[in-house]
Amino acid sequence: MSTDRTVSSAAGRSRPGEPVYLVFSDVDETLIHCKSLLDFLDHYFAERHGSRGRRHAAGVRARLAAATAAGMARDEANALYYRAWRGEPVADVWWAGRRWYADRRATGGFFVDATRAALRRHRADGAELVLVSGSFGAVLDPLAEECAAAHVLCTLPEVVDGVLTGEVVGEPVIGEGKRRAVRALLARHPHVDPADCHAYGDHVSDLPMLLEVGHPTVVGESTDLLERLRAARRMSPA
């Protein structure tokens, strides 16, 4: 089904104040080319703690790489990542996220242009954009503002007395966590039919999210994801 036909059928069912449909987009290597969590890890700890921070970030990367190679599930690796932030002041982290975003945005080649263009078309058609990511607000908030995303579904780091504890609130928004987050948002929009909605992802961990909508798109060439979602539209990230 083309975007135009989707809008035509959905618009007839929507009510005033309701989006025509929702568009769910993964972020890393779907909307932007980099892995935001790792890139921001390097940026923040080098900026705030200098050489000690660079060593800390390198150690976290090494532990994550070893855990992933040993078969650790992606949601568990996501939780392991957040433990690296224990003791950091949340306000400093959030302001650093805006500086990181401005730096990366200014270098060019930051966005996956095909995805960004598709999301713009959806918004012009009356859809609401939803970013769905295992990343966190420090990284995602400025991106959501620039893309005019109506919602951000993401992992929530725990904060006590203004300091990150290294734990997360609830479950990481990875894999089945993405499915549950998408379903919860759809439940808040009862006049939106999931069959009219779109979703974009690049990795097999996005599959639960992609299966929740009528129009999934695979960004890139993930063999695992394409094998499991043969009917999906394919889009090159170049």
Side-chain angles (χ1 to χ4, degrees):
M1 182 180 289
S2 70
T3 299
D4 289 341
R5 291 200 297 272
T6 302
V7 171
S8 176
S9 64
R13 291 192 295 273
S14 64
R15 296 188 178 187
E18 283 282 337
V20 176
Y21 60 98
L22 299 178
V23 181
F24 301 92
S25 179
D26 173 53
V27 174
D28 293 0
E29 300 181 309
T30 296
L31 178 56
I32 61 176
H33 281 289
C34 71
K35 291 185 180 294
S36 61
L37 289 179
L38 296 177
D39 202 81
F40 181 53
L41 178 83
D42 293 340
H43 172 94
Y44 175 84
F45 281 99
E47 179 185 76
R48 182 168 176 81
H49 299 292
S51 59
R52 180 169 61 88
R54 284 189 285 273
R55 289 193 298 272
H56 174 71
V60 173
R61 278 180 170 269
R63 288 192 293 276
L64 286 169
T68 301
M72 176 179 281
R74 198 157 180 168
D75 57 344
E76 295 175 346
N78 188 257
L80 177 62
Y81 168 88
Y82 284 103
R83 293 186 193 119
W85 295 88
R86 182 178 181 180
E88 296 300 322
V90 66
D92 291 346
V93 173
W94 252 249
W95 280 116
R98 292 192 173 275
R99 291 192 295 274
W100 167 83
Y101 181 77
D103 288 347
R104 295 299 181 267
R105 177 72 178 78
T107 61
F110 180 66
F111 283 99
V112 176
D113 290 336
T115 304
R116 193 180 188 198
L119 298 183
R120 284 173 169 166
R121 289 193 297 270
H122 288 305
R123 287 193 63 248
D125 287 339
E128 282 189 352
L129 171 61
V130 185
L131 301 185
V132 188
S133 175
S135 193
F136 64 127
V139 172
L140 298 173
D141 288 352
L143 176 62
E145 290 169 11
E146 178 160 337
C147 294
H151 308 277
V152 177
L153 307 178
C154 65
T155 301
L156 300 176
E158 183 182 60
V159 179
V160 175
D161 296 330
V163 175
L164 295 170
T165 69
E167 302 301 321
V168 299
V169 178
E171 65 178 336
V173 182
I174 297 286
E176 288 298 323
K178 287 192 174 185
R179 186 200 302 275
R180 284 186 278 272
V182 166
R183 284 184 176 178
L185 184 60
L186 285 169
R188 289 159 47 194
H189 293 78
H191 303 297
V192 172
D193 188 342
D196 295 324
C197 296
H198 292 245
Y200 294 78
D202 72 291
H203 188 270
V204 70
S205 63
D206 297 318
L207 180 63
M209 172 183 73
L210 295 170
L211 289 172
E212 291 300 305
V213 303
H215 304 278
T217 296
V218 175
V219 180
E221 300 296 331
S222 170
T223 303
D224 287 345
L225 186 53
L226 291 168
E227 281 292 319
R228 290 166 171 79
L229 205 60
R230 293 179 181 273
R233 179 186 172 212
R234 303 181 186 185
M235 192 165 70
S236 171

